Amino acid sequence: METTEYILKVKDIHKSYGNVEVLKGVSFNVKKGETKCFIGPSGTGKSTLLRCINQLTVPDQGQIWLHDEEVTHAGPRINYFRQRIGMVFQNFYLFDHLTAVRNVEIALIKVLRMNPKEAREKAMYELNQVGMADWADHYPAELSGGQAQRVSIARALAMDPDVILFDEPTSALDPELTREVIEVMRNLASLGMTMLVVTHEMGFACSAANEILFMENGRVIEQGSPSDLLNNPQFERCKAFIGQYHGFHE
Amino acid sequence: MDQIVFLTEILFPALIGGTVITLELIAVTAPIGLLLGIAIAVGRTYGSWTIVEICKGYVIFFKGCPLLLLLFILYFGFPTIGITFTAFTAAVIGFICCNSAYNSEYIRGAMLSVQQGQLIAAKALGMTKRQAIINIVLPQALRRAIPGISNEFIYLIKYSSLAYVITVIELTGSAKQVATKYFMYTETFIIVALFYLAIVTVATIGINAIEKRVAIPGFVQK
């Protein structure tokens, strides 16, 4: 069995909240450098799926492997896996009491035990990557949503993760701010960062994703390359969902 | 007797001595009361079931027990079971129990107001719960708790006068001695009130300066 090819494997993930089964068995594999986009109507478990991957939400059933090491049931070692799996949130969740550069370097210092000088250099490098170096000494409350999201991407990048999870990174932003964040993400994808993106940005999904997974009711019901899925969706629901976007962009 | 002579020769020297004791009571109580308050608040918010229940019990007991009664128990009651404190120590222990119970409630409220997502983001970066509490939650919560802690600190300055009832000759106690001896109640107690007012004013100015200094830029609208 070929196992080394994939850096992340997700197998048969189930999750229920009370009587509501949010995820009903989701499986997929991710190769290094791949960008996968998860699309679908709201409330179909896309965000829950991402949170299951780094165990912020513990799945009821199923396994996740990162480089052939099991992430599920890792016990205290979960903190190691979380260092290797970056995450970017819809509402940024920057640390309000720290400047942009402190936000990026704090985990380097506290978690990776990097010395402060090295951590500062690394943090400035990552801020520069997302075009936020000039804002290093500003506090989150002084940043626009787009800027805050770019800082939070830099914070995830600084850990040199194997994969970054993006949980609707632009859903809290207006179209103009969305564009600047999408630009950063597109750049990351082209630089070979492995990314799993839950998004409603069909433009990004179509142009940057290697694969699009359409989810509904806790299942991946269709998956394929952007051109396959957009031009020739097999399922009616997927067709209707994507059709809305076609109509929207005309 | 000449009023001026009474003030300068008798009352002020006595009150200065009393003020020193009052400041000592506050200086020992406030830092320990704050640290203990933080510990209780953290325990009650993030601890295991047992720790949560212990912290809850502590807060309920010391919020519910009148401070004066607590001082009586410590100073007059404990010797009967073989534990003897000096009056000063008994007063400080009582004040710390009361101060920390109230502080913990202000701090707990402030911790709950810190955006939950930031704790999640800290976890997602691989921080342990302990690292996230120390580096992310507490720095923000303590800032937000300053108005409450400041209130409690000012109460402390004033309820430190209860120590007089268990024979600590602090500011109120020294005033009472002078007033009784020279039969100058009105003058003495008005001047003592001004002493407390001065201490409270200095404390308020100091706390405001701290609050301003640690304020997060852009976070609080002017």
Side-chain angles (χ1 to χ4, degrees):
Chain A
M1 197 173 81
E2 189 66 53
T3 51
T4 47
E5 193 186 349
Y6 298 113
I7 65 165
L8 183 75
K9 285 176 289 180
V10 173
K11 195 177 161 198
D12 196 30
I13 294 296
H14 288 256
K15 178 70 190 177
S16 299
Y17 290 112
N19 292 326
V20 185
E21 196 172 14
V22 185
L23 293 173
K24 299 171 182 166
V26 176
S27 305
F28 60 89
N29 297 317
V30 185
K31 287 182 200 151
K32 189 169 165 47
E34 221 180 357
T35 296
K36 278 194 200 298
C37 284
F38 295 82
I39 62 168
S42 299
T44 51
K46 305 186 296 292
S47 294
T48 306
L49 176 64
L50 283 198
R51 281 166 186 246
C52 283
I53 292 173
N54 63 357
Q55 302 284 294
L56 287 177
T57 297
V58 180
D60 300 330
Q61 191 187 320
Q63 287 114 36
I64 288 153
W65 284 276
L66 184 72
H67 290 303
D68 296 326
E69 285 187 281
E70 194 179 341
V71 177
T72 31
H73 316 108
R77 210 171 125 72
I78 188 58
N79 290 319
Y80 163 76
F81 290 111
R82 285 179 182 155
Q83 293 163 33
R84 312 299 323 139
I85 303 173
M87 188 157 196
V88 172
F89 300 88
Q90 178 176 350
N91 295 315
F92 334 132
Y93 296 152
L94 289 181
F95 307 131
D96 284 331
H97 62 305
L98 301 175
T99 58
V101 67
R102 290 280 296 141
N103 260 281
V104 179
E105 73 183 12
I106 187 150
L108 302 179
I109 296 169
K110 302 293 177 185
V111 178
L112 299 184
R113 308 269 170 217
M114 210 182 261
N115 81 50
K117 192 164 167 281
E118 265 178 69
R120 178 58 58 101
E121 274 169 27
K122 174 83 172 148
M124 286 307 298
Y125 171 81
E126 300 299 352
L127 283 177
N128 198 35
Q129 289 290 97
V130 298
M132 285 298 293
D134 291 342
W135 295 79
D137 294 324
H138 287 256
Y139 284 83
E142 301 172 315
L143 304 176
S144 73
Q147 291 173 324
Q149 193 59 295
R150 280 146 66 197
V151 172
S152 100
I153 293 172
R155 178 173 69 178
L157 281 175
M159 303 290 283
D160 291 327
D162 296 324
V163 52
I164 300 186
L165 316 173
F166 290 83
D167 186 6
E168 303 203 25
T170 59
S171 295
L173 304 174
D174 69 32
E176 198 177 327
L177 299 180
T178 295
R179 210 171 304 133
E180 66 183 56
V181 171
I182 289 295
E183 207 45 57
V184 167
M185 291 170 60
R186 207 188 292 279
N187 189 30
L188 283 182
S190 70
L191 290 172
M193 175 52 77
T194 312
M195 300 166 39
L196 300 183
V197 187
V198 169
T199 187
H200 295 293
E201 281 299 310
M202 292 304 288
F204 173 79
C206 297
S207 60
N210 302 89
E211 189 176 45
I212 295 178
L213 294 87
F214 179 79
M215 279 182 74
E216 187 167 46
N217 291 326
R219 286 197 180 87
V220 175
I221 60 172
E222 195 161 3
Q223 65 190 92
S225 71
S227 57
D228 286 351
L229 214 63
L230 286 175
N231 301 326
N232 191 23
Q234 301 295 311
F235 287 80
E236 283 306 317
R237 269 302 286 145
C238 189
K239 211 179 276 182
F241 185 81
I242 289 168
Q244 291 168 11
Y245 285 94
H246 279 312
F248 184 75
H249 284 295
E250 266 163 25
Chain B
M1 189 171 54
D2 190 302
Q3 294 279 355
I4 303 293
V5 174
F6 171 72
L7 285 178
T8 56
E9 306 278 313
I10 295 157
L11 185 59
F12 281 162
L15 292 189
I16 297 294
T19 304
V20 171
I21 305 292
T22 290
L23 293 179
E24 281 173 7
L25 285 168
I26 296 166
V28 179
T29 303
I32 301 177
L34 179 60
L35 289 177
L36 198 55
I38 294 171
I40 293 163
V42 171
R44 201 172 156 184
T45 312
Y46 298 106
S48 64
W49 185 87
T50 327
I51 291 177
V52 169
E53 293 305 314
I54 291 171
C55 294
K56 257 192 207 170
Y58 181 95
V59 172
I60 289 172
F61 181 79
F62 289 113
K63 266 168 66 174
C65 180
L67 182 53
L68 187 56
L69 205 61
L70 184 61
L71 297 183
F72 283 165
I73 293 168
L74 286 164
Y75 189 61
F76 300 117
F78 271 45
T80 64
I81 56 164
I83 303 169
T84 313
F85 300 113
T86 65
F88 186 88
T89 309
V92 163
I93 293 173
F95 294 165
I96 287 171
C97 292
C98 177
N99 187 259
S100 59
Y102 281 97
N103 274 342
S104 80
E105 287 291 80
Y106 293 124
I107 295 163
R108 190 170 70 91
M111 288 199 311
L112 294 176
S113 79
V114 174
Q115 191 186 30
Q116 192 60 26
Q118 291 183 44
L119 194 62
I120 295 172
K123 274 190 187 172
L125 285 164
M127 283 194 199
T128 60
K129 200 167 156 188
R130 189 194 168 88
Q131 287 174 324
I133 292 168
I134 291 173
N135 295 298
I136 307 303
V137 177
L138 277 181
Q140 296 183 54
L142 289 177
R143 283 176 167 92
R144 290 183 200 187
I146 288 176
I149 295 169
S150 137
N151 241 348
E152 184 53 30
F153 183 67
I154 283 162
Y155 281 135
L156 166 65
I157 294 170
K158 292 180 291 180
Y159 64 60
S160 71
S161 60
L162 288 179
Y164 148 67
V165 186
I166 57 165
T167 75
V168 179
I169 308 302
E170 42 64 75
L171 186 50
T172 304
S174 59
K176 182 75 193 317
Q177 282 182 339
V178 172
T180 314
K181 191 170 172 190
Y182 295 91
F183 228 70
M184 302 276 250
Y185 289 101
T186 314
E187 300 87 332
T188 304
F189 289 139
I190 287 175
I191 287 168
V192 172
L194 293 177
F195 267 61
Y196 277 106
L197 187 63
I199 299 173
V200 167
T201 306
V202 171
T204 307
I205 291 169
I207 292 164
N208 286 346
I210 292 171
E211 191 173 3
K212 213 168 169 182
R213 201 185 143 82
V214 301
I216 300 165
F219 199 74
V220 181
Q221 301 295 318
K222 276 180 193 148

